[in-house]
């Protein structure tokens, strides 16, 4: 209604916007085959990455990241670009393990203190892989 008490006759833009939203919602909810295809694509991606259902749930609910990994790779002189180019799945595994790590506070404290290299071996779940990469000249950055 307008200020004069008469119905507003200029509400076509609002009606059109509402109709558009309803139409889009109907398209989204009316496509179970697309949702099923999306589910299959996600399942394939999870399988390709070698994740278990428990790991997918943990990654989805953890709300964490692997922000410490680049710091550690740099401290160990492991070239992340070379690793990404030559061993992308290995880098994904390192990220996944780092994301799920329970020692983030320790790692962050060691990064801040500059003591990451000697300390990470005490708690890092990627220690064996990182040690192997550190001794592989293909992945080590020059001094």
């Amino acid at each position: 209604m307008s200020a004069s008490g008469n119905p507003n006759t200029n509400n076509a833009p609002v009606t059109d916007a509402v109709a558009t939203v309803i139409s889009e919602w109907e398209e989204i909810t009316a496509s179970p085959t697309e949702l099923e295809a999306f589910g299959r694509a996600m399942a394939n991606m999870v399988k390709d990455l070698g994740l278990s259902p428990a790991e997918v749930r943990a990654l989805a609910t953890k709300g964490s990241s692997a922000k410490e990994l680049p710091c550690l790779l740099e401290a160990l002189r492991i070239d992340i670009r070379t690793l990404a180019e030559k061993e992308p799945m290995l880098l994904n595994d390192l990220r996944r393990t780092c994301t799920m790590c329970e020692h983030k506070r320790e790692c962050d404290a060691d990064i801040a203190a500059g003591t990451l290299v000697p300390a990470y071996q005490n708690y890092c779940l990627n220690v064996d892989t990182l040690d192997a990469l550190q001794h592989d000249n293909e992945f080590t950055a020059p001094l």
Side-chain angles (χ1 to χ4, degrees), residues 100-130:
M100 297 176 59
C101 182
E102 300 291 331
H103 299 280
K104 297 260 183 215
R105 285 188 186 163
E106 279 179 88
C107 192
D108 289 337
D110 287 332
I111 291 169
T115 57
L116 186 59
V117 172
Y120 84 99
Q121 293 182 336
N122 297 324
Y123 54 80
C124 183
L125 299 175
N126 283 320
V127 69
D128 293 334
T129 304
L130 293 171

mmCIF file of all heavy atoms in Angstrom, residues 100-130:
data_model
loop_
_atom_site.group_PDB
_atom_site.id
_atom_site.type_symbol
_atom_site.label_atom_id
_atom_site.label_comp_id
_atom_site.label_asym_id
_atom_site.label_seq_id
_atom_site.Cartn_x
_atom_site.Cartn_y
_atom_site.Cartn_z
ATOM 1 N N MET A 100 44.536 -32.427 9.200
ATOM 2 C CA MET A 100 43.923 -33.209 10.266
ATOM 3 C C MET A 100 44.784 -33.299 11.521
ATOM 4 O O MET A 100 44.396 -33.917 12.507
ATOM 5 C CB MET A 100 43.592 -34.602 9.731
ATOM 6 C CG MET A 100 42.563 -34.524 8.615
ATOM 7 S SD MET A 100 42.180 -36.083 7.840
ATOM 8 C CE MET A 100 41.606 -37.021 9.221
ATOM 9 N N CYS A 101 45.921 -32.660 11.514
ATOM 10 C CA CYS A 101 46.869 -32.747 12.627
ATOM 11 C C CYS A 101 46.301 -32.145 13.920
ATOM 12 O O CYS A 101 45.608 -31.127 13.894
ATOM 13 C CB CYS A 101 48.160 -32.016 12.250
ATOM 14 S SG CYS A 101 49.427 -32.107 13.520
ATOM 15 N N GLU A 102 46.634 -32.780 15.011
ATOM 16 C CA GLU A 102 46.208 -32.326 16.339
ATOM 17 C C GLU A 102 47.275 -31.463 17.023
ATOM 18 O O GLU A 102 47.105 -31.081 18.175
ATOM 19 C CB GLU A 102 45.896 -33.544 17.224
ATOM 20 C CG GLU A 102 44.794 -34.429 16.677
ATOM 21 C CD GLU A 102 43.424 -33.777 16.710
ATOM 22 O OE1 GLU A 102 43.195 -32.939 17.605
ATOM 23 O OE2 GLU A 102 42.598 -34.087 15.834
ATOM 24 N N HIS A 103 48.373 -31.171 16.311
ATOM 25 C CA HIS A 103 49.496 -30.444 16.926
ATOM 26 C C HIS A 103 49.671 -29.050 16.327
ATOM 27 O O HIS A 103 50.785 -28.537 16.282
ATOM 28 C CB HIS A 103 50.787 -31.245 16.763
ATOM 29 C CG HIS A 103 50.739 -32.577 17.425
ATOM 30 N ND1 HIS A 103 50.936 -32.742 18.771
ATOM 31 C CD2 HIS A 103 50.475 -33.809 16.922
ATOM 32 C CE1 HIS A 103 50.806 -34.017 19.076
ATOM 33 N NE2 HIS A 103 50.531 -34.687 17.973
ATOM 34 N N LYS A 104 48.593 -28.437 15.884
ATOM 35 C CA LYS A 104 48.677 -27.123 15.236
ATOM 36 C C LYS A 104 49.290 -26.064 16.160
ATOM 37 O O LYS A 104 50.107 -25.261 15.724
ATOM 38 C CB LYS A 104 47.286 -26.667 14.782
ATOM 39 C CG LYS A 104 46.677 -27.567 13.738
ATOM 40 C CD LYS A 104 46.860 -26.957 12.400
ATOM 41 C CE LYS A 104 46.183 -27.840 11.365
ATOM 42 N NZ LYS A 104 46.935 -27.821 10.151
ATOM 43 N N ARG A 105 48.884 -26.067 17.420
ATOM 44 C CA ARG A 105 49.417 -25.054 18.346
ATOM 45 C C ARG A 105 50.926 -25.175 18.510
ATOM 46 O O ARG A 105 51.647 -24.180 18.504
ATOM 47 C CB ARG A 105 48.737 -25.162 19.705
ATOM 48 C CG ARG A 105 47.340 -24.623 19.706
ATOM 49 C CD ARG A 105 46.776 -24.576 21.091
ATOM 50 N NE ARG A 105 45.378 -24.187 21.034
ATOM 51 C CZ ARG A 105 44.524 -24.355 22.003
ATOM 52 N NH1 ARG A 105 44.920 -24.897 23.140
ATOM 53 N NH2 ARG A 105 43.282 -23.967 21.869
ATOM 54 N N GLU A 106 51.390 -26.403 18.664
ATOM 55 C CA GLU A 106 52.836 -26.629 18.786
ATOM 56 C C GLU A 106 53.549 -26.161 17.528
ATOM 57 O O GLU A 106 54.572 -25.485 17.601
ATOM 58 C CB GLU A 106 53.137 -28.118 18.981
ATOM 59 C CG GLU A 106 52.973 -28.636 20.375
ATOM 60 C CD GLU A 106 53.268 -30.113 20.421
ATOM 61 O OE1 GLU A 106 54.456 -30.469 20.614
ATOM 62 O OE2 GLU A 106 52.329 -30.907 20.261
ATOM 63 N N CYS A 107 53.007 -26.554 16.391
ATOM 64 C CA CYS A 107 53.631 -26.208 15.113
ATOM 65 C C CYS A 107 53.661 -24.686 14.924
ATOM 66 O O CYS A 107 54.690 -24.120 14.560
ATOM 67 C CB CYS A 107 52.865 -26.893 13.979
ATOM 68 S SG CYS A 107 53.704 -26.853 12.385
ATOM 69 N N ASP A 108 52.524 -24.034 15.190
ATOM 70 C CA ASP A 108 52.472 -22.575 15.057
ATOM 71 C C ASP A 108 53.456 -21.890 15.999
ATOM 72 O O ASP A 108 54.114 -20.912 15.620
ATOM 73 C CB ASP A 108 51.052 -22.065 15.319
ATOM 74 C CG ASP A 108 50.074 -22.426 14.216
ATOM 75 O OD1 ASP A 108 50.516 -22.682 13.069
ATOM 76 O OD2 ASP A 108 48.853 -22.461 14.484
ATOM 77 N N ALA A 109 53.573 -22.409 17.211
ATOM 78 C CA ALA A 109 54.525 -21.840 18.175
ATOM 79 C C ALA A 109 55.959 -22.022 17.690
ATOM 80 O O ALA A 109 56.788 -21.107 17.811
ATOM 81 C CB ALA A 109 54.333 -22.481 19.549
ATOM 82 N N ASP A 110 56.249 -23.193 17.122
ATOM 83 C CA ASP A 110 57.596 -23.435 16.599
ATOM 84 C C ASP A 110 57.892 -22.566 15.387
ATOM 85 O O ASP A 110 59.026 -22.107 15.211
ATOM 86 C CB ASP A 110 57.773 -24.917 16.254
ATOM 87 C CG ASP A 110 57.888 -25.793 17.491
ATOM 88 O OD1 ASP A 110 58.352 -25.287 18.536
ATOM 89 O OD2 ASP A 110 57.501 -26.973 17.414
ATOM 90 N N ILE A 111 56.882 -22.330 14.551
ATOM 91 C CA ILE A 111 57.072 -21.428 13.406
ATOM 92 C C ILE A 111 57.410 -20.037 13.919
ATOM 93 O O ILE A 111 58.373 -19.408 13.467
ATOM 94 C CB ILE A 111 55.818 -21.408 12.500
ATOM 95 C CG1 ILE A 111 55.665 -22.752 11.777
ATOM 96 C CG2 ILE A 111 55.887 -20.251 11.500
ATOM 97 C CD1 ILE A 111 54.331 -22.924 11.062
ATOM 98 N N ALA A 112 56.631 -19.553 14.881
ATOM 99 C CA ALA A 112 56.856 -18.209 15.440
ATOM 100 C C ALA A 112 58.209 -18.093 16.127
ATOM 101 O O ALA A 112 58.869 -17.060 16.035
ATOM 102 C CB ALA A 112 55.735 -17.861 16.420
ATOM 103 N N ALA A 113 58.643 -19.167 16.787
ATOM 104 C CA ALA A 113 59.913 -19.134 17.529
ATOM 105 C C ALA A 113 61.121 -19.426 16.652
ATOM 106 O O ALA A 113 62.255 -19.277 17.087
ATOM 107 C CB ALA A 113 59.865 -20.148 18.680
ATOM 108 N N GLY A 114 60.867 -19.871 15.417
ATOM 109 C CA GLY A 114 61.982 -20.220 14.537
ATOM 110 C C GLY A 114 62.614 -21.555 14.895
ATOM 111 O O GLY A 114 63.757 -21.820 14.530
ATOM 112 N N THR A 115 61.883 -22.398 15.605
ATOM 113 C CA THR A 115 62.414 -23.693 16.033
ATOM 114 C C THR A 115 61.716 -24.864 15.338
ATOM 115 O O THR A 115 61.759 -25.996 15.822
ATOM 116 C CB THR A 115 62.255 -23.856 17.555
ATOM 117 O OG1 THR A 115 60.867 -23.719 17.897
ATOM 118 C CG2 THR A 115 63.075 -22.819 18.302
ATOM 119 N N LEU A 116 61.085 -24.605 14.218
ATOM 120 C CA LEU A 116 60.293 -25.621 13.537
ATOM 121 C C LEU A 116 61.126 -26.814 13.089
ATOM 122 O O LEU A 116 60.747 -27.963 13.310
ATOM 123 C CB LEU A 116 59.558 -25.001 12.347
ATOM 124 C CG LEU A 116 58.580 -25.893 11.603
ATOM 125 C CD1 LEU A 116 57.498 -26.410 12.535
ATOM 126 C CD2 LEU A 116 57.951 -25.129 10.447
ATOM 127 N N VAL A 117 62.277 -26.539 12.458
ATOM 128 C CA VAL A 117 63.063 -27.644 11.904
ATOM 129 C C VAL A 117 63.500 -28.651 12.961
ATOM 130 O O VAL A 117 63.271 -29.839 12.780
ATOM 131 C CB VAL A 117 64.255 -27.133 11.069
ATOM 132 C CG1 VAL A 117 65.162 -28.281 10.663
ATOM 133 C CG2 VAL A 117 63.744 -26.421 9.834
ATOM 134 N N PRO A 118 64.051 -28.265 14.065
ATOM 135 C CA PRO A 118 64.406 -29.335 15.002
ATOM 136 C C PRO A 118 63.179 -29.942 15.702
ATOM 137 O O PRO A 118 63.188 -31.113 16.061
ATOM 138 C CB PRO A 118 65.320 -28.647 16.011
ATOM 139 C CG PRO A 118 65.021 -27.205 15.907
ATOM 140 C CD PRO A 118 64.543 -26.964 14.511
ATOM 141 N N ALA A 119 62.100 -29.169 15.852
ATOM 142 C CA ALA A 119 60.980 -29.619 16.685
ATOM 143 C C ALA A 119 59.939 -30.449 15.936
ATOM 144 O O ALA A 119 59.312 -31.320 16.539
ATOM 145 C CB ALA A 119 60.296 -28.410 17.316
ATOM 146 N N TYR A 120 59.740 -30.214 14.652
ATOM 147 C CA TYR A 120 58.642 -30.867 13.935
ATOM 148 C C TYR A 120 58.738 -32.390 14.009
ATOM 149 O O TYR A 120 57.717 -33.085 13.995
ATOM 150 C CB TYR A 120 58.567 -30.404 12.479
ATOM 151 C CG TYR A 120 59.486 -31.143 11.530
ATOM 152 C CD1 TYR A 120 58.998 -32.171 10.732
ATOM 153 C CD2 TYR A 120 60.838 -30.833 11.450
ATOM 154 C CE1 TYR A 120 59.838 -32.858 9.866
ATOM 155 C CE2 TYR A 120 61.668 -31.513 10.597
ATOM 156 C CZ TYR A 120 61.166 -32.518 9.804
ATOM 157 O OH TYR A 120 62.001 -33.204 8.961
ATOM 158 N N GLN A 121 59.929 -32.913 14.114
ATOM 159 C CA GLN A 121 60.107 -34.367 14.136
ATOM 160 C C GLN A 121 59.480 -35.009 15.381
ATOM 161 O O GLN A 121 59.218 -36.202 15.381
ATOM 162 C CB GLN A 121 61.590 -34.721 14.036
ATOM 163 C CG GLN A 121 62.148 -34.339 12.692
ATOM 164 C CD GLN A 121 63.609 -34.711 12.545
ATOM 165 O OE1 GLN A 121 64.334 -34.843 13.524
ATOM 166 N NE2 GLN A 121 64.041 -34.882 11.310
ATOM 167 N N ASN A 122 59.215 -34.230 16.395
ATOM 168 C CA ASN A 122 58.613 -34.756 17.617
ATOM 169 C C ASN A 122 57.103 -34.958 17.514
ATOM 170 O O ASN A 122 56.537 -35.685 18.335
ATOM 171 C CB ASN A 122 58.903 -33.830 18.800
ATOM 172 C CG ASN A 122 60.383 -33.738 19.092
ATOM 173 O OD1 ASN A 122 61.111 -34.713 18.961
ATOM 174 N ND2 ASN A 122 60.829 -32.558 19.464
ATOM 175 N N TYR A 123 56.449 -34.297 16.559
ATOM 176 C CA TYR A 123 54.988 -34.378 16.508
ATOM 177 C C TYR A 123 54.388 -34.452 15.108
ATOM 178 O O TYR A 123 53.227 -34.820 14.958
ATOM 179 C CB TYR A 123 54.358 -33.194 17.251
ATOM 180 C CG TYR A 123 54.842 -31.846 16.777
ATOM 181 C CD1 TYR A 123 54.336 -31.266 15.621
ATOM 182 C CD2 TYR A 123 55.794 -31.145 17.499
ATOM 183 C CE1 TYR A 123 54.778 -30.024 15.189
ATOM 184 C CE2 TYR A 123 56.241 -29.907 17.090
ATOM 185 C CZ TYR A 123 55.729 -29.344 15.932
ATOM 186 O OH TYR A 123 56.172 -28.123 15.517
ATOM 187 N N CYS A 124 55.124 -34.128 14.086
ATOM 188 C CA CYS A 124 54.568 -34.055 12.731
ATOM 189 C C CYS A 124 54.263 -35.455 12.180
ATOM 190 O O CYS A 124 55.127 -36.335 12.172
ATOM 191 C CB CYS A 124 55.537 -33.337 11.796
ATOM 192 S SG CYS A 124 54.885 -33.126 10.122
ATOM 193 N N LEU A 125 53.044 -35.620 11.709
ATOM 194 C CA LEU A 125 52.639 -36.905 11.132
ATOM 195 C C LEU A 125 53.235 -37.123 9.742
ATOM 196 O O LEU A 125 53.216 -38.238 9.234
ATOM 197 C CB LEU A 125 51.113 -36.984 11.062
ATOM 198 C CG LEU A 125 50.387 -36.884 12.397
ATOM 199 C CD1 LEU A 125 48.877 -36.855 12.184
ATOM 200 C CD2 LEU A 125 50.787 -38.023 13.313
ATOM 201 N N ASN A 126 53.755 -36.077 9.148
ATOM 202 C CA ASN A 126 54.381 -36.160 7.822
ATOM 203 C C ASN A 126 55.890 -36.359 7.899
ATOM 204 O O ASN A 126 56.571 -36.304 6.880
ATOM 205 C CB ASN A 126 54.104 -34.877 7.023
ATOM 206 C CG ASN A 126 52.701 -34.825 6.457
ATOM 207 O OD1 ASN A 126 52.175 -35.825 5.988
ATOM 208 N ND2 ASN A 126 52.091 -33.639 6.493
ATOM 209 N N VAL A 127 56.418 -36.585 9.061
ATOM 210 C CA VAL A 127 57.862 -36.585 9.264
ATOM 211 C C VAL A 127 58.594 -37.550 8.329
ATOM 212 O O VAL A 127 59.622 -37.180 7.745
ATOM 213 C CB VAL A 127 58.232 -36.827 10.748
ATOM 214 C CG1 VAL A 127 57.904 -38.225 11.195
ATOM 215 C CG2 VAL A 127 59.696 -36.506 10.996
ATOM 216 N N ASP A 128 58.115 -38.762 8.155
ATOM 217 C CA ASP A 128 58.832 -39.728 7.312
ATOM 218 C C ASP A 128 58.873 -39.283 5.858
ATOM 219 O O ASP A 128 59.921 -39.354 5.200
ATOM 220 C CB ASP A 128 58.194 -41.119 7.420
ATOM 221 C CG ASP A 128 58.370 -41.728 8.804
ATOM 222 O OD1 ASP A 128 59.340 -41.361 9.504
ATOM 223 O OD2 ASP A 128 57.527 -42.560 9.189
ATOM 224 N N THR A 129 57.742 -38.808 5.356
ATOM 225 C CA THR A 129 57.686 -38.342 3.963
ATOM 226 C C THR A 129 58.560 -37.104 3.779
ATOM 227 O O THR A 129 59.302 -36.998 2.796
ATOM 228 C CB THR A 129 56.235 -38.027 3.561
ATOM 229 O OG1 THR A 129 55.435 -39.187 3.786
ATOM 230 C CG2 THR A 129 56.141 -37.614 2.110
ATOM 231 N N LEU A 130 58.499 -36.192 4.726
ATOM 232 C CA LEU A 130 59.304 -34.974 4.631
ATOM 233 C C LEU A 130 60.793 -35.280 4.698
ATOM 234 O O LEU A 130 61.585 -34.680 3.963
ATOM 235 C CB LEU A 130 58.902 -33.987 5.726
ATOM 236 C CG LEU A 130 57.492 -33.407 5.589
ATOM 237 C CD1 LEU A 130 57.114 -32.627 6.841
ATOM 238 C CD2 LEU A 130 57.372 -32.548 4.344
#
